[in-house]
Amino acid sequence: MDAVDRLLLAELQADARLSYNELSRRVNLSPPAVAERVRRLESEGVITGYHAHLDPAKAGAAVMALVTVQCYGPRCVLRDPEVAHWPEVFQLHRVTGGACCVLLVGVPDMPAFERLTDRLGGYGQPTSSMILSSPVPWRAIQAS
């Protein structure tokens, strides 16, 4: 990856809807050269997708939390492929430490959060930290 690739990635992370023509102006390459580089970055797995960033509360997830689950063995959250498809689960991370995983979850209200923690309790002991605010909700990766 060279400096032009890094500049392309920075521009696409800031606005993935930019046309190849606009990208070409910003990085001083022809549109076909930009298209070729973007396709290469996609095929190499550097670019894994294009997404819209949503406001969780306005999208129906007013209650956001990080939930750690202490579970090991055959009934572990990580071994159940269905958990990854639960609409309340935005991210699922396998971690080190006292818990095996951390989930970023979002629900419309506290009764829904209580139902979710009850479901997670079937896998192990859940512990939650409510997200009060997100001063840095998302940050672009600086490719090196």
Side-chain angles (χ1 to χ4, degrees), residues 34 54 63 67-68 93 112-113 116 123 142:
V34 165
L54 306 180
V63 175
V67 180
T68 60
H93 303 278
F113 183 70
L116 176 61
Y123 296 91
Q142 302 298 315

Side-chain angles (χ1 to χ4, degrees), residues 51-65:
H51 312 278
H53 292 277
L54 306 180
D55 179 312
K58 292 179 182 175
V63 175
M64 299 287 296

Side-chain angles (χ1 to χ4, degrees), residues 82-123:
E82 293 302 313
V83 174
H85 300 287
W86 292 1
E88 306 93 344
V89 176
F90 296 151
Q91 296 178 356
L92 173 58
H93 303 278
R94 183 177 183 184
V95 298
T96 61
C100 72
C101 61
V102 175
L103 300 89
L104 172 63
V105 301
V107 293
D109 51 34
M110 289 307 290
F113 183 70
E114 186 175 1
R115 288 189 300 274
L116 176 61
T117 56
D118 288 346
R119 283 172 70 194
L120 288 169
Y123 296 91

Side-chain angles (χ1 to χ4, degrees), residues 36-54:
E36 179 184 331
R37 282 176 177 261
V38 170
R39 280 192 294 274
R40 179 180 48 79
L41 290 165
E42 290 170 343
S43 70
E44 291 174 352
V46 177
I47 297 173
T48 60
Y50 299 88
H51 312 278
H53 292 277
L54 306 180

